[in-house]
Amino acid sequence: MAAHPLTGPNRLSLAVVAQRTGLHPDLVRRLVALSLLDARRDEQARLWFDPEAVTVLARIQRLRAGLGLNYAAVGVVLDLLDRIAVLEATLRARSETSWISTG
C-alpha cells in the first residue's frame, strides 16, 4: 500500500476500518452490500476503503443510534443530506457570484 508521508495511506483495509470504527467486520461488509458504504475489491476480492469511510461510518452510527433508524432509512437520510449539501453549495456559489458582479 503506497502512501505519501504527509497524507497517510490512500486506502484502508477492512480490518483497519473495523478497528477504527469499533464495528465488527461483518457489519462493515453488510453496509457495503447495502450500498451505504463505498468500497473497492482487489484481485483477491478483499475490500479496500477510502480514508473517508471512517467518517461515513461514524455518520451512519450516529443516525442509527441517535434517531433509531433502520439501515434503509439511514440510506435515505444520507442521500437527502448529500443533496442538501449540494444545494447549499450551489446557493453559496450563486450568492458569491452575484455579490462579486454587483459589488
Side-chain angles (χ1 to χ4, degrees):
M1 173 175 10
H4 187 277
L6 297 178
T7 61
N10 56 8
R11 64 182 188 166
L12 304 174
S13 69
L14 174 61
V16 169
V17 169
Q19 184 270 326
R20 288 187 183 177
T21 60
L23 296 176
H24 193 280
D26 288 342
L27 178 56
V28 176
R29 283 188 200 95
R30 181 175 176 209
L31 296 173
V32 171
L34 292 170
S35 297
L36 293 176
L37 183 64
D38 292 330
R40 291 181 305 278
R41 290 192 183 271
D42 65 12
E43 302 81 31
Q44 290 82 34
R46 292 177 298 205
L47 292 173
W48 293 96
F49 301 87
D50 290 332
E52 296 81 29
V54 174
T55 304
V56 172
L57 284 168
R59 196 177 198 194
I60 290 169
Q61 288 178 284
R62 282 193 310 275
L63 289 170
R64 180 120 164 99
L67 300 177
L69 300 175
N70 63 31
Y71 290 120
V74 167
V76 171
V77 171
L78 290 173
D79 184 47
L80 290 172
L81 290 172
D82 289 344
R83 289 177 188 215
I84 289 168
V86 168
L87 291 171
E88 287 177 339
T90 302
L91 184 59
R92 268 193 307 278
R94 286 185 182 167
S95 61
E96 288 173 6
T97 303
S98 66
W99 180 81
I100 291 171
S101 62
T102 59

